[in-house]
Amino acid sequence: MLPNADSADGWIKRPNSALPFQGKSALERMLTGRVADLYVVRQYLDGQRGWS
């Protein structure tokens, strides 16, 4: 999804303004301890790829 390996590896730790993240990183969202948050990040990634 991202043009180079550094971007692909780094996005998970960077703050994200997309609605599911509300300014936090995807990693922060996934580390909340709730399985549902893993699903939300997966849904977001699928949507970015054009998958529903």
Side-chain angles (χ1 to χ4, degrees), residues 28-46:
E28 287 177 282
R29 177 81 194 243
M30 291 188 291
L31 290 175
T32 63
R34 296 182 306 244
V35 173
D37 288 313
L38 297 173
Y39 177 72
V40 167
V41 173
R42 174 60 188 260
Q43 261 188 323
Y44 173 78
L45 291 172
D46 288 347

